[in-house]
Amino acid sequence: MNADLREIWVYLSASPLAGLTLTLVAYQAGLWVFERFGRRPVLNPVLIAVLLITGALTLSGIDYRTYFDGAQFVHFLLGPATVALAVPLHNQFNQVRRSALAMLVALLVGSTASALSAVALAWAFGGSMATMLSMAPKSVTSPIAMGVSEQIGGLPSLTAVFVIITGIIAATFGTWVLNLVRVKDWRARGFGMGVAAHGIGTARALQVNEVAGAFAGLGMGLNGLATALLLPALYHLFR
């Protein structure tokens, strides 16, 4: 019987269905905990899901490539989900138009501060040049960040890790920080979360307020565009 169970486990663990099921179950568990304990930011569903998946892969011995063969189906949905952010943005178009100048200034300041603070932090802790360059695009959504990292000499895989960590930290503590500095306008709160924390921050903003979610999606998109254009240009200019 044990041999039969072992054969079944070997088959299932190598199947793409295993990675897909693990991803969905882990996120659903994270969402349940988040809802059960009053939507506390520190119990971010993405953070819980990452911890559960990491633990499951470590205990089962399944390598990441095998896991991603199944998880890629969820990964594919990131594209349509990002496009769907245009819906709340369309609903708030009049507010977006009135805030255009303020958002432009906030975008330039926020994008620059995100990159410089990341590089400064890595330098302060003795990080290598590759590490500093990998951290520079940390506040941009993963596909753009990894592409920018490769262009400027960073390590795309390391950049992906920094992107996820940045999003989780910002989504967890962003609300507290914004309350601490007394930012009350939902447009400013959402745009700041989008610029600083890409998709994970945008998801958090959508949970809190529709206006904040719309501006967060816009901030995420604009910051991705600004970083993709400016960071490689600055790198080649000053290297």
Side-chain angles (χ1 to χ4, degrees):
M1 182 65 178
N2 290 335
D4 292 338
L5 289 175
R6 191 178 301 110
E7 289 179 5
I8 293 173
W9 168 248
V10 170
Y11 170 75
L12 290 177
S13 63
S15 170
L17 183 61
L20 178 61
T21 303
L22 176 59
T23 303
L24 297 177
V25 170
Y27 183 76
Q28 191 60 40
L31 188 61
W32 181 85
V33 172
F34 180 67
E35 297 286 352
R36 176 67 177 78
F37 292 94
R39 291 174 161 255
R40 298 179 182 275
V42 72
L43 298 175
N44 186 280
V46 176
L47 173 60
I48 296 173
V50 168
L51 294 176
L52 289 175
I53 292 172
T54 301
L57 294 181
T58 301
L59 292 175
S60 64
I62 299 175
D63 63 89
Y64 181 79
R65 186 178 296 277
T66 301
Y67 158 74
F68 192 72
D69 284 342
Q72 65 180 329
F73 297 109
V74 177
H75 185 265
F76 168 78
L77 294 176
L78 286 174
T82 302
V83 174
L85 291 173
V87 175
L89 183 60
H90 173 75
N91 294 336
Q92 305 298 327
F93 182 74
N94 288 332
Q95 293 200 59
V96 170
R97 185 173 53 188
R98 291 196 298 267
S99 308
L101 180 59
M103 286 191 298
L104 177 60
V105 175
L107 173 65
L108 294 176
V109 174
S111 183
T112 302
S114 295
L116 291 181
S117 62
V119 172
L121 186 63
W123 175 81
F125 282 91
S128 64
M129 179 59 70
T131 301
M132 288 188 281
L133 295 174
S134 299
M135 284 190 68
K138 65 176 179 56
S139 293
V140 183
T141 188
S142 295
I144 297 177
M146 294 173 70
V148 171
S149 176
E150 187 174 15
Q151 287 185 49
I152 63 177
L155 305 173
S157 57
L158 185 58
T159 297
V161 174
F162 288 135
V163 168
I164 295 172
I165 292 174
T166 298
I168 291 175
I169 291 176
T172 302
F173 300 105
T175 299
W176 294 342
V177 172
L178 291 169
N179 290 338
L180 182 64
V181 297
R182 300 182 180 180
V183 177
K184 298 180 180 180
D185 191 302
W186 287 116
R187 296 171 298 176
R189 292 171 71 96
F191 195 78
M193 287 289 282
V195 170
H198 51 82
I200 300 178
T202 298
R204 172 60 182 161
L206 281 167
Q207 290 174 338
V208 176
N209 181 271
E210 183 180 352
V211 174
F215 277 79
L218 180 61
M220 177 184 70
L222 291 178
N223 189 39
L225 178 62
T227 302
L229 294 175
L230 297 178
L231 200 56
L234 291 174
Y235 169 75
H236 292 296
L237 181 63
F238 292 105
R239 68 172 180 172

